[in-house]
Amino acid sequence: MWNTVALCSLGKRPPGAASPLLPRLQTLNRVFERKYQDLCHGKEPARSLQNQGLKRTRDMLPCRLVSNKAKYKRYAKTYPVLDGRILSVYRHVFEENLRNSEAVIKRYSELLETASKGGGENAILRHTQRNKKLFVRERLKLLLDDESFLELSPLAGLDLPYGDVPAAGCLTGIGKICGVWCVFMANDATVKGGTIYPIGVKKQLRAQEIALQNRLCSVYLVDSGGAFLPLQSELFPDKLHGGRVFYNEAIMSAMRIPQVAVVCGSCVAGGAYVPTMAEEAVIIDKIGTLFLAGPPLVKAATGEDVSPEDLGGAKLHSQVSGCSDHFASSEEEAYECIRNVISTLNYHPLPEEAVEHDSPLYSPDELLGLAPRDYRCTLPVKLILSRLMDGSRFQEFKANYGTTLVTGFGHVEGCLVGVVASNGELSHDAALKGSHFVQLCGQRGVPILFLQNTAPQAPQPTSLSQAEAHSNRLKAQASMMAAVACAPVPKITIVIGGCYGTESYVMCGRSFSPNFLFLWPNARVALVDSRHFSVVPRAEDSDSAGDESELKQLKEKLEEESSAFYSSARLWDDGVILPQNTRKVIAQCLEITAQQKSQVVSPCPHPVIRM
Ligand code: COA
């Protein structure tokens, strides 16, 4: 992964001499990669049966898409190559960033490990041995084509005011089934019986939003005790609470976005509607049960003892009620059945062969030293671009105008993308350039990649002319906001440093609905930077000045609330990703967003209604 060009660019060493940073970077990367694979995807290779199933299904499906290989060859290799050498003058900043990256990545690995264990070892044992069910990650391995799925927000739910809810009690992400990218939502019953917490509702709604925006089939693996009752007021009554999940199922079905479900555990109360509203549902014998009120409630109401199986088991729902469409005698059979269901969607999958592309000329490992510890440690963003773009090639737009924003075109794993990257404060000229470029991308149908590192605070004007400059900048930023909001192309935002204040909206922050938004672990998300904060804000007519301890308290609170992990726990993003994995994540997102181009959608005014 490491290349000599990058090595030699670190300071003035002669070519071939090893960098003192090399062992640290390589070890960190190796350790993390191993852990990540183990934690998220398990160690076993994909099953051969599944691969056979995949091959069979793909053989059956027509593939009308033309490879864009030729197009790529013709254009991409003529874009100018970026100079990504890190000058020795930047070395101390690079090292400071690297130290910070090591610390935050260590924390990230710890949190990821906690999340990956769900409700903990005892709960997993009870789930697998007593309840004879597969752990949710094992289920996904059986369902998905391979292990390269994009998991969304694995750190959601950690350290919330109501405690830790690992992975928010439900895994969500995007993976391929029979060559088709699908969104999955899978309850983890080892976390409080799979009950839905407020953060779990938010996570499911976000996954559905992604399905809607990118027209991806939704697959629900339901194994849930329904609402987490002690927090019912925070997840039942409001518009964006539990019921919205069912509403979305109907709306998506009417939009020809397929909804399929597996009942692979308990489906109680509200949870029972998820498979029942799905277009096709599978239920697993002696594992799946589905009812509005469970046996204890029946006993309380009628005095009758009834088993879960008799009340709402697989046979009952497949033979009598019709709440399920397929009966599966084992978990394996159920996931195979869902794979077959996906193969009937009549989708035209993307071409399988990889588009020929060059790797960047500089090592992605060096992104750890370019990920700014704070705004003052920001290095020129083209150093980052030279480690993300294919062949480090970049066709820059308006290179000499509004230089605090870098705009231009490049390729990521062969996909053309328009880049809008922060390179300082978003000045008037930079915002005008941004508006122009975003419109170009919209006109040409090119997806936009925002690399966000916004300034913590705009300086206060000290003169009339400065105040006028501020107003002009405000107007230019407002124009760019409008251009970003209305650009009719997929948008992917990566917060590589600061996500501060209103500039973060202009750079396609969460409220501007990018298709995906990820953070680097060093990212800071806040209205203002606690480190730049020196007075407690007061009303102008107030005569009490904030004291030192009040300021200290406020700064500590801001500091804690600004971390990438705090943000990700609350689902203000789609997850924290490692800088060195950024290219892969961007490439996946581009492929996912492109899938809808191959769908033929004819109008369908109503959802599929279960009869
Ligand atoms: N609200 C809050 N906590 C719940 C819950 C709910 N709806 N359902 C289960 N839990 C908790 C249990 O109290 C238990 O907590 P503990 O680990 O601290 O003891 C934990 O979740 C696991 O439940 P348990 O019953 O031990 O696990 P299980 O695998 O044997 O059964 C269920 C899981 C979901 C089938 C079972 O707990 C159940 O039927 N729950 C009631 C479901 C219900 O009536 N929901 C209505 C919601 S509107």
Side-chain angles (χ1 to χ4, degrees), residues 2 33 40 53 66 92 115 138 207 212 311 342 404 433 459 471 473 484 510:
W2 192 268
E33 267 184 12
C40 295
V66 188
H92 68 287
E138 298 298 317
L212 193 70
L311 188 64
I342 301 291
T404 53
K433 168 165 111 176
S471 307
R473 187 165 74 165
V484 170
R510 189 64 145 180

Side-chain angles (χ1 to χ4, degrees), residues 126 130-131 192-193 195 225-230 266 268-269:
R126 204 169 55 195
R130 192 191 75 183
N131 296 351
K192 284 275 180 199
T195 49
F228 181 74
L229 286 171
S266 175
V268 194

